[in-house]
Amino acid sequence: MSSLSAEDRYRNFIPDESRQYLEKMFAGFKRNVAIEIYTKEGLHNEYNEFSLKLCRALNVMSDKIELREFAMDSEEGRERKIIASPTILIAPDKYDIRFLGAPAGEEGRALVEALNLASKGEEGISESAMEILGKLKGNRLVKIFSSPSCPYCPGQAINAFKAAVGRPDKVSAWCISTLDNENMARQYNVGSVPHTDINDTATFKGLEPEDQFMIQLLYMKPLKEIMEENRKEPEQQEEKEYEDVDLVIIGGGPAGMSAGIYAKRSGLSCVILEKQGVGGQVALTPKVENYPGFTHIQGFELVEILGAHAREYTRINQFVEVRDIKAGERFEIATDDTVYRAKGILLATGVNVRMLGVPGEDKFYGHGVSYCATCDGNFYRGGKAVVVGGGNTALTDALHLKHLGVETTIIHRRDRFRAEKVLQDSVEREGIKVIWNSEVTEIIGDKQVESVRVKNNEDGSETTLDTDVVFVAIGHTANTSLAQKLGVELREDGFIKVDAGQRTSVERVYAAGDVTGGVRQIIIATGQGAAAALTAFDDFARTFSEEKKMPVNIW
């Protein structure tokens, strides 16, 4: 007979390291948080059992967690309108935050953060998000479809939970696991995760920066569409305001925010213009474990810290797109409402995922075209997949799919891989088919991907290959349209060429972060942003000597 009590067994359900982390977090809770779990015997018993053990484990870890267990068809279940087993509700007397399905794997991170947010209340929501949420008039039911293997899904679910905590009178947030809610996933035509549905009206795919999510929640439209609708035609525009500023920073990622801090501390006036939400690629990064001072932190949390710090020094104008840019003694940077006249410009415009750019790619995104095999591979167990690319990501994706039971083919445009040898050896050992010296020229299908057209680069011949999904893993492209408009010199690989001080080939134009290529790491981007701001201060002091200002302590 076991000497362990039931309480000990539940506590041991969670590994030691995770348990210690959670116990420390729960000890800091400002208020108790109730969990209600609803199950129905005979319906998803395996998932029910997992969810019950998980909730009981959280309950025994802290007296700040209060657990209540109910049958799905109980009076309480009917009152809460429970439609799936298992369903977990977080602080249900105050918020409508719920998990439909067992929060396993990556989804467990979303559950923990939901508890944390419920404990903090509005204190856990950024000022910018609260400002947007304050404009909500109608109700919003947000469904986030997720997968236990998707590292990006918790971030999107947390966006929804923040909205529910910020406006509990207007927003309901449901995280729906596709693993044990397959019928619902089919009903909503989910082909990739995270998949966001609002009021059965608006649909968005992928993880989004927090403020972008909030704006789209408000308008129930994609950000690009919102910005286009709000953009005034030339004949409708009122006379623009002019504003003189020392440095305009274009891009609100780590490089741009760091530059804003250092520019202001140097005595320069500056503004950061960001056409989406702050954070750049970091806001879309599930976990960060190599940024000094943080052994592990979620990407959106690091963005919140960086953003709060930067806003202490400078303005960050979000959802503002640069429409025109002109060089001169003073640069003119035009947005829809304002023309900034600046001594210099810092380009921190980042990168985007490189797309194939072939017919069918946009049409089938989320319906057989994906850029994350870890997120979406489970949808294609027992099927066929094509992975396009030859680097580490492509080969890692192919191996992951092979282990899921997906018949996988790699298509690579060269005659050899760029990936590490250990990955190449694994691909060969697993017997994964490789089509060399070839490119996908078209993605074909009706409502879903059915095949791809493949061109042989050596003899020009074309063939058609049946597949259920195309996973694209061909790297990133630098956002250099503004740089090119200014005549900035680019490297052979398309990234901006800079010197040791982050100067570009154009006087008083600087660049920092991922747009400059090289090693793409957060710490390097922040360092480059700081260096660019300090270089700009030195350059402006020489060029505009009559306006020279003494710097404050920047260290």
Side-chain angles (χ1 to χ4, degrees):
M1 185 174 180
S2 174
S3 60
L4 291 175
S5 66
E7 184 174 308
D8 288 333
R9 287 198 299 274
Y10 288 129
R11 181 178 283 109
N12 291 339
F13 182 71
I14 295 177
D16 288 345
E17 185 178 351
S18 297
R19 186 170 67 246
Q20 291 167 11
Y21 170 78
L22 292 173
E23 287 174 343
K24 184 178 179 180
M25 173 189 285
F26 295 158
F29 275 13
K30 293 187 175 182
R31 56 182 68 89
N32 291 2
V33 179
I35 299 176
E36 289 183 0
I37 180 167
Y38 294 82
T39 57
K40 182 175 182 179
E41 189 173 349
L43 184 63
H44 297 149
N45 281 345
E46 182 180 352
Y47 301 122
N48 292 339
E49 183 180 358
F50 173 88
S51 299
L52 284 166
K53 286 181 178 178
L54 176 60
C55 291
R56 290 166 182 170
L58 296 173
N59 181 48
V60 300
M61 265 191 255
S62 172
D63 57 7
K64 300 288 182 70
I65 305 293
E66 303 169 0
L67 177 63
R68 301 191 286 264
E69 301 178 14
F70 301 100
M72 180 177 166
D73 56 2
S74 64
E75 182 179 342
E76 291 82 1
R78 289 189 290 274
E79 183 180 338
R80 301 289 194 197
K81 298 180 180 178
I82 303 302
I83 62 172
S85 176
T87 292
I88 298 171
L89 308 185
I90 306 299
D93 295 328
K94 191 168 185 180
Y95 309 116
D96 186 8
I97 296 174
R98 58 183 70 190
F99 290 80
L100 280 65
E106 294 289 348
E107 294 163 336
R109 291 199 294 120
L111 175 65
V112 170
E113 188 58 29
L115 293 169
N116 190 30
L117 285 168
S119 173
K120 290 179 179 178
E122 287 186 16
E123 296 176 19
I125 317 299
S126 68
E127 290 183 10
S128 58
M130 286 302 299
E131 182 180 351
I132 298 168
L133 290 170
K135 300 175 183 177
L136 267 179
K137 302 298 183 184
N139 294 335
R140 300 287 191 270
L141 172 55
V142 185
K143 300 184 185 81
I144 308 294
F145 289 88
S146 65
S147 162
S149 63
C150 170
Y152 303 102
C153 291
Q156 190 72 345
I158 290 164
N159 283 336
F161 298 157
K162 287 182 176 180
V165 170
R167 287 300 303 271
D169 59 323
K170 296 294 183 185
V171 181
S172 299
W174 297 6
C175 181
I176 304 171
S177 176
T178 55
L179 195 62
D180 38 337
N181 290 281
E182 293 180 0
N183 289 338
M184 195 179 301
R186 280 195 291 270
Q187 177 187 343
Y188 282 85
N189 202 23
V190 177
S192 65
V193 289
H195 175 111
T196 303
D197 178 273
I198 304 175
N199 287 7
D200 295 342
T201 300
T203 300
F204 308 103
K205 301 182 182 74
L207 171 60
E208 297 156 329
E210 178 183 306
D211 286 348
Q212 178 179 337
F213 176 91
M214 300 301 174
I215 284 285
Q216 293 180 161
L217 177 69
L218 176 63
Y219 290 97
M220 293 200 297
K221 294 178 180 179
L223 177 62
K224 185 176 181 180
E225 188 176 326
I226 296 166
M227 293 179 70
E228 285 299 319
E229 287 182 357
N230 291 334
R231 183 183 181 185
K232 297 176 182 177
E233 296 299 326
E235 62 272 12
Q236 298 175 317
Q237 291 180 358
E238 301 172 0
E239 189 172 345
K240 292 186 178 182
E241 295 183 1
Y242 281 80
E243 181 178 337
D244 290 334
V245 65
D246 290 330
L247 182 66
V248 168
I249 300 166
I250 304 175
M257 290 191 284
S258 173
I261 294 170
Y262 273 79
K264 192 67 175 180
R265 288 180 63 86
S266 298
L268 299 178
S269 60
C270 64
V271 62
I272 298 174
L273 306 179
E274 169 55 54
K275 71 177 181 179
Q276 296 181 339
V278 296
Q281 295 290 320
V282 184
L284 310 179
T285 303
K287 296 179 185 177
V288 177
E289 297 178 329
N290 58 359
Y291 192 81
F294 300 95
T295 54
H296 54 267
I297 186 171
Q298 296 184 79
F300 73 87
E301 291 180 302
L302 183 57
V303 166
E304 288 179 357
I305 293 169
L306 290 172
H309 191 179
R311 285 187 176 96
E312 290 183 10
Y313 289 93
T314 187
R315 286 174 295 149
I316 302 177
N317 294 343
Q318 295 189 95
F319 313 115
V320 172
E321 187 168 1
V322 174
R323 299 295 185 183
D324 195 15
I325 192 165
K326 296 178 182 177
E329 183 177 348
R330 281 195 177 244
F331 294 93
E332 290 192 356
I333 302 95
T335 66
D336 284 336
D337 300 314
T338 306
V339 176
Y340 298 92
R341 293 181 293 210
K343 296 176 181 177
I345 297 171
L346 171 55
L347 299 170
T349 45
V351 297
N352 283 327
V353 171
R354 186 187 296 273
M355 301 177 71
L356 291 173
V358 301
E361 183 175 19
D362 289 340
K363 176 182 177 181
F364 294 111
Y365 173 53
H367 303 288
V369 172
S370 174
Y371 304 89
C372 179
T374 305
C375 304
D376 301 331
N378 276 311
F379 290 110
Y380 301 97
R381 288 176 181 268
K384 296 180 179 180
V386 162
V387 176
V388 183
N392 288 345
T393 300
L395 270 62
T396 300
D397 286 352
L399 290 165
H400 171 70
L401 293 166
K402 175 74 173 181
H403 295 159
L404 288 176
V406 182
E407 184 182 329
T408 305
T409 301
I410 300 173
I411 298 177
H412 186 41
R413 61 178 178 165
R414 304 184 191 279
D415 60 359
R416 66 187 66 184
F417 290 130
R418 304 184 311 276
E420 296 173 357
K421 189 175 187 304
V422 64
L423 291 171
Q424 296 187 43
D425 292 343
S426 296
V427 164
E428 185 176 358
R429 185 169 58 250
E430 292 291 336
I432 296 174
K433 181 180 177 181
V434 181
I435 300 178
W436 301 102
N437 297 308
S438 299
E439 298 181 35
V440 171
T441 58
E442 185 180 2
I443 300 171
I444 304 166
D446 182 11
K447 295 181 179 179
Q448 294 281 142
V449 169
E450 297 172 1
S451 62
V452 292
R453 198 179 312 281
V454 182
K455 178 182 178 181
N456 184 297
N457 290 333
E458 292 187 320
D459 59 19
S461 63
E462 288 191 342
T463 56
T464 300
L465 177 67
D466 290 344
T467 186
D468 300 299
V469 60
V470 179
F471 289 101
V472 181
I474 55 175
H476 294 79
T477 57
N479 294 321
T480 58
S481 58
L482 294 176
Q484 292 181 69
K485 193 162 190 175
L486 289 167
V488 168
E489 182 182 353
L490 304 182
R491 304 185 334 190
E492 288 186 6
D493 57 6
F495 291 86
I496 296 177
K497 184 177 181 180
V498 293
D499 66 10
Q502 305 304 129
R503 298 179 182 89
T504 71
S505 60
V506 176
E507 187 177 359
R508 291 179 286 118
V509 176
Y510 311 87
D514 290 352
V515 75
T516 64
V519 180
R520 294 174 46 247
Q521 293 291 315
I522 304 168
I523 188 65
I524 291 176
T526 55
Q528 288 183 348
L534 296 176
T535 299
F537 172 79
D538 289 340
D539 290 349
F540 297 171
R542 288 192 296 270
T543 306
F544 301 92
S545 57
E546 72 282 0
E547 299 178 22
K548 185 175 180 181
K549 301 175 183 178
M550 292 298 292
V552 297
N553 177 19
I554 60 175
W555 309 112

